[in-house]
Amino acid sequence: MPTLLSKALQLLTGDDTTPTTDWLRMPKQRAFKKYTERDLINLESEIGSALFGPVPKGHRREFFCLDKTTWIWHEEWLDKDDLQTATTRYEVQEKGILKVQSGPRYSYLEGEELANFAAAVTLYYEKVAREVYKIDPDSGLPLQ
Amino acid sequence: MRAPQPYQMYPEQSEAPLSYEATPASTETTSAPEHYSVDTQAPKQPDYQSEAPQQSLEDATPEYDPTVVEYFTYINEVQHSLANIDALRRNMIEKDAA
């Protein structure tokens, strides 16, 4: 059943498809507590996993910055009751971004893949700055 | 008997016409144009040599390659974002710890 806000959005945008307000929700209700680095990474990863659109049903996706030089993309899904996993690690180096996949397979990002990765990382930073840390990503000042 | 031999040599030396004939007949002078033609090919060599410094100059000055510039722009962008994310995380942890 559509909510009042959904109806209002439908009227405003003129979109006949079922409107969703999921994008307005915070990734998780933050309790007033001390955060460990793992907690913050989990909060960030919830935002990161949604950067590429909705996660398919039965999939679990994590996309997060592990540290200053490492990025992780992890995906899990069930294939005929078998759990499949794929983890890609991106190592940010001075000469390029090394993609490390199971196998192991190594390759430096280039072309469209590099452009897409850079765009995803920039978007990730802008969203986590606003939604997790309440910081304006452009000025670095706290959001009011 | 030996004296006539040098005497007889004079006439041989006085056969200047022979030597004159030999001179115009000699191909050394007539072949001079050929020799010059070889020399006239010399300018090609300076042309070839003048290309060498251009090559080394090109090697010394890197060409502007937009794909390389774009490549490192993306790398810098990613590095910048990662450093910012790490700083936000550290600040939050330190603020909570304080």
Side-chain angles (χ1 to χ4, degrees):
Chain A
M1 183 176 175
T3 63
L4 186 63
L5 185 57
S6 298
K7 283 182 180 175
L9 276 172
Q10 193 172 358
L11 286 171
L12 284 170
T13 60
D15 190 355
D16 290 337
T17 59
T18 307
T20 176
T21 54
D22 289 345
W23 58 277
L24 286 172
R25 291 181 187 162
M26 284 294 290
K28 191 178 275 185
Q29 196 66 33
R30 286 183 58 183
F32 188 74
K33 65 162 192 170
K34 288 181 180 178
Y35 287 103
T36 63
E37 187 170 16
R38 188 67 248 178
D39 293 332
L40 293 172
I41 287 175
N42 284 338
L43 287 170
E44 290 178 19
S45 186
E46 284 187 44
I47 292 170
S49 65
L51 288 180
F52 308 101
V55 181
K57 194 176 180 182
H59 280 234
R60 188 170 81 88
R61 180 183 295 158
E62 290 190 52
F63 185 74
F64 60 91
C65 166
L66 182 66
D67 55 42
K68 276 170 92 169
T69 58
T70 315
W71 203 279
I72 301 290
W73 180 16
H74 177 77
E75 194 122 0
E76 289 178 2
W77 68 97
L78 278 174
D79 183 23
K80 296 175 183 176
D81 296 334
D82 288 332
L83 182 66
Q84 303 289 320
T85 63
T87 303
T88 303
R89 190 173 81 246
Y90 299 92
E91 294 180 5
V92 181
Q93 305 172 355
E94 287 296 325
K95 63 178 177 181
I97 296 170
L98 183 67
K99 184 170 78 170
V100 183
Q101 293 176 296
S102 58
R105 287 177 289 161
Y106 305 93
S107 61
Y108 278 97
L109 296 188
E110 55 185 17
E112 192 178 0
E113 190 178 15
L114 175 62
N116 290 340
F117 181 78
V121 167
T122 303
L123 189 60
Y124 176 101
Y125 163 62
E126 290 176 354
K127 286 181 82 72
V128 299
R130 289 180 189 280
E131 297 176 21
V132 176
Y133 300 103
K134 309 298 181 193
I135 296 287
D136 178 33
D138 297 323
S139 65
L141 298 172
L143 291 173
Q144 294 181 353
Chain B
M1 290 295 289
R2 288 179 184 173
Q5 286 179 347
Y7 179 73
Q8 286 177 349
M9 286 177 67
Y10 272 107
E12 288 177 6
Q13 286 181 343
S14 65
E15 290 176 352
L18 287 176
S19 65
Y20 266 105
E21 285 175 2
T23 305
S26 68
T27 55
E28 287 181 3
T29 49
T30 53
S31 67
E34 291 178 7
H35 188 65
Y36 267 102
S37 67
V38 172
D39 288 342
T40 53
Q41 290 175 358
K44 288 182 181 176
Q45 200 170 3
D47 283 348
Y48 173 74
Q49 286 175 346
S50 64
E51 287 175 2
Q54 285 178 2
Q55 284 178 346
S56 65
L57 188 65
E58 284 172 4
D59 291 342
T61 53
E63 283 186 34
Y64 174 80
D65 187 344
T67 57
V68 171
V69 173
E70 189 182 58
Y71 178 83
F72 284 105
T73 302
Y74 285 133
I75 304 301
N76 289 336
E77 195 178 310
V78 170
Q79 284 177 324
H80 188 67
S81 293
L82 261 71
N84 284 339
I85 293 162
D86 190 67
L88 287 174
R89 217 179 267 169
R90 301 277 151 246
N91 286 342
M92 175 68 84
I93 292 166
E94 285 173 13
K95 200 194 302 180
D96 282 353

